[in-house]
Amino acid sequence: MSHVHKEHKEKGPKEINFSIITVSTSRALEASKGNIVQDISGDIAHKLIQERKYKVVFRTIVPDDIKAIKNALQEAQKARADIIIFVGGTGLTRDDLTIEAIKPLLQKEIPGFGEIFRYLSYLEIGSSAFLSRALAGTIGEKVVFCLPGSPNAVKLALEKLILEEAGHLVYMLKRK
């Protein structure tokens, strides 16, 4: 690790606020009916974030709908999340719309995240990893990640990439 990189990581905030937004039409429908919804991937993200002593300040489940996804993003921003994680809706089916909702809003894309995520996924699951449209970028002083909905993908992204660089990312965006 370079001296500058180490310095940025050390200067990074120790308190970081996260939002977790699960994108799933079926789960959102069940939740809207007042039913208890199982959100394994969201639960994994929540647990891993809390284990690092960070806070989850906003969490919701929304349908695969561009307007609902953008509204959830606005709610996460209002909740003062530093890092916003979307779980699901990144595949290739007609109703996977997370990328279409979020990518046009990004001020700066972080292409290395998707590239390294797909590489690490390839090491675990093989060639189907290239089907992932995992994405990261910035909106103002917020970092936004769009992850596949599988529990293993969420765990991999958080443990190997996002949580390792969370402080560094937030420091860089808030630096004047």
Side-chain angles (χ1 to χ4, degrees):
M1 182 183 315
S2 76
H3 171 70
V4 172
H5 184 85
K6 184 178 178 185
E7 180 183 321
H8 287 176
K9 280 186 105 166
E10 289 171 359
K11 286 183 177 179
K14 304 303 178 230
E15 292 183 15
I16 300 174
N17 293 329
F18 282 79
S19 287
I20 303 166
I21 301 165
T22 299
V23 181
S24 169
T25 298
S26 60
R27 286 186 185 96
L29 180 62
E30 287 301 310
S32 72
K33 292 178 181 177
N35 296 331
I36 295 173
V37 178
Q38 194 171 36
D39 179 14
I40 295 168
S41 295
D43 292 344
I44 288 169
H46 200 132
K47 179 179 180 275
L48 292 171
I49 290 164
Q50 286 185 320
E51 284 176 357
R52 292 285 181 109
K53 307 293 187 232
Y54 298 139
K55 288 182 185 175
V56 175
V57 295
F58 177 75
R59 184 170 172 192
T60 192
I61 300 173
V62 299
D64 294 280
D65 173 80
I66 289 177
K67 186 175 181 185
I69 294 166
K70 287 180 177 180
N71 287 343
L73 173 66
Q74 288 177 339
E75 291 299 315
Q77 290 171 312
K78 286 179 194 171
R80 300 188 185 267
D82 300 300
I83 298 176
I84 302 166
I85 299 174
F86 285 89
V87 176
T90 63
L92 298 175
T93 67
R94 186 174 64 252
D95 62 342
D96 286 323
L97 298 172
T98 302
I99 303 304
E100 287 71 18
I102 299 303
K103 190 171 184 175
L105 304 175
L106 297 179
Q107 292 167 326
K108 293 188 179 187
E109 195 169 331
I110 307 171
F113 170 77
E115 295 162 0
I116 293 173
F117 174 79
R118 282 181 281 280
Y119 171 73
L120 293 172
S121 295
Y122 174 77
L123 296 177
E124 288 190 3
I125 64 170
S127 61
S128 64
F130 86 81
L131 301 175
S132 169
R133 297 189 303 149
L135 174 74
T138 65
I139 300 173
E141 292 184 352
K142 314 290 184 194
V143 186
V144 180
F145 292 94
C146 301
L147 310 178
S150 81
N152 287 341
V154 170
K155 187 173 190 285
L156 174 72
L158 279 156
E159 287 182 340
K160 301 284 185 186
L161 299 169
I162 298 169
L163 293 172
E164 287 298 311
E165 295 299 326
H168 185 195
L169 284 163
V170 173
Y171 168 76
M172 293 298 291
L173 287 177
K174 293 184 187 264
R175 191 176 86 170
K176 301 295 180 210

